[in-house]
């Protein structure tokens, strides 16, 4: 909630943000924090704008301050974990994600982020288990299912493509226009069913993501005629 004590700084921060001047928007938030140094709302905004600008160390500092203000708040523990992951501090991020998962055992997103950290550390078996749990909790959500499909394709020899296609099927039924899911389905089918793979590539080529369209165009050249 915006308090009157820093209303002017907040309004200027929003105005700068609307014009794309992230640096000045952050400066106004810092000025507001001189008036309300323990205001969690302001620190969350600093965290969000820092992530928006790719300022991972800034975001990490804001997350740590939020933890100081409310050590047991699971949302703040999650922010700390995310910032630590983005800053490359895996040894710090992993136990934080584990703590969030203990507090919120039904969280799909926490499983995804923990799996992301553990993947960098090479813990493939745990990554697979976490992502399979996430998909079981939310079988038609795009994020976890695509993460798991990519894991199958990259790390499960032989049966990986079939496993990936099986996971992606329900997602496409629920989200028939999702380009990343079509792209991963094309990867899964490119050798076993080239015609269906080309169908999914055409779906990607009709999307707005230029980078993904370029990848799809390249993949098209790799599919057997």
């Amino acid at each position: 909630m915006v308090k009157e004590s820093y209303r002017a700084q907040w309004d200027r921060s929003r105005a700068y943000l609307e014009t794309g001047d992230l640096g000045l928007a952050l400066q106004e938030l810092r000025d507001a924090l001189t008036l309300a140094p323990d205001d969690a709302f302001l620190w969350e905004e600093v965290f969000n704008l820092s992530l928006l600008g790719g300022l991972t160390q800034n975001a990490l500092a804001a997350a740590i301050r939020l933890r100081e203000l409310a050590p047991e708040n699971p949302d703040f523990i999650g922010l700390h974990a995310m910032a630590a992951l983005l800053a490359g501090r895996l040894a710090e991020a992993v136990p934080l994600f584990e703590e969030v998962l203990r507090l919120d055992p039904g969280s799909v997103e926490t499983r995804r982020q923990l799996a992301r950290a553990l993947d960098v550390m090479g813990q493939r078996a745990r990554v697979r288990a976490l992502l399979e749990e996430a998909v079981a909790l939310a079988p038609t959500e795009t994020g976890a299912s695509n993460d798991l499909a990519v894991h199958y394709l990259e790390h499960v020899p032989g049966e990986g493509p079939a496993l990936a296609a099986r996971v992606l099927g329900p997602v496409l039924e629920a989200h028939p226009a999702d380009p990343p899911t079509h792209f991963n389905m094309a990867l899964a089918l490119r050798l076993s069913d080239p015609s269906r793979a080309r169908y999914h590539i055409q779906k990607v080529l009709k999307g707005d993501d230029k980078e993904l369209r370029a990848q799809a165009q390249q993949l098209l050249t790799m599919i057997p005629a």
Side-chain angles (χ1 to χ4, degrees):
M1 183 177 68
V2 180
K3 297 179 181 177
E4 289 306 317
S5 61
Y6 54 79
R7 169 72 64 178
Q9 290 81 3
W10 172 261
D11 288 343
R12 287 196 294 268
S13 178
R14 295 296 93 184
Y16 283 130
L17 189 60
E18 287 179 6
T19 63
D21 200 327
L22 193 63
L24 287 176
L26 274 168
Q27 185 57 55
E28 291 294 342
L29 290 178
R30 294 190 188 98
D31 290 347
L33 282 165
T34 64
L35 301 172
D38 295 334
D39 192 295
F41 175 78
L42 286 175
W43 281 111
E44 279 194 85
E45 284 302 301
V46 171
F47 176 89
N48 291 331
L49 293 195
S50 296
L51 281 192
L52 185 63
L55 305 171
T56 54
Q57 294 300 326
N58 241 33
L60 182 59
I64 290 172
R65 180 60 181 142
L66 285 165
R67 293 290 311 285
E68 292 170 352
L69 294 172
E72 304 304 319
N73 186 314
D75 292 336
F76 295 166
I77 299 171
L79 296 183
H80 187 181
M82 185 189 306
L85 175 60
L86 293 173
R89 295 166 61 162
L90 297 178
E92 182 177 345
V94 168
L96 289 167
F97 280 127
E98 297 276 18
E99 185 176 354
V100 176
L101 197 55
R102 283 194 296 272
L103 293 168
D104 185 8
S107 173
V108 170
E109 188 58 30
T110 301
R111 282 178 170 79
R112 289 186 66 202
Q113 296 301 329
L114 178 55
R116 179 181 172 192
L118 292 173
D119 188 56
V120 177
M121 300 171 74
Q123 297 188 26
R124 308 290 185 223
R126 182 80 197 286
V127 170
R128 176 172 176 172
L130 283 164
L131 292 177
E132 287 177 341
E133 289 172 7
V135 171
L137 288 166
T140 61
E141 286 189 11
T142 59
S145 296
N146 277 284
D147 289 351
L148 180 57
V150 170
H151 177 83
Y152 284 150
L153 290 169
E154 293 180 350
H155 302 297
V156 182
E159 62 177 344
L163 289 172
R166 191 181 310 158
V167 164
L168 295 174
V171 181
L172 283 175
E173 287 183 15
H175 307 278
D178 186 64
T181 307
H182 279 291
F183 180 78
N184 287 326
M185 184 64 93
L187 284 173
L189 297 173
R190 70 186 185 92
L191 297 178
S192 63
D193 196 336
S195 62
R196 283 181 62 204
R198 283 192 288 271
Y199 164 82
H200 289 290
I201 288 177
Q202 291 304 319
K203 291 290 188 180
V204 178
L205 293 176
K206 293 177 181 178
D208 297 328
D209 188 325
K210 291 183 180 180
E211 183 177 347
L212 193 60
R213 289 206 311 265
Q215 293 177 32
Q217 194 67 57
Q218 183 177 12
L219 178 59
L220 191 59
T221 66
M222 301 165 60
I223 294 178

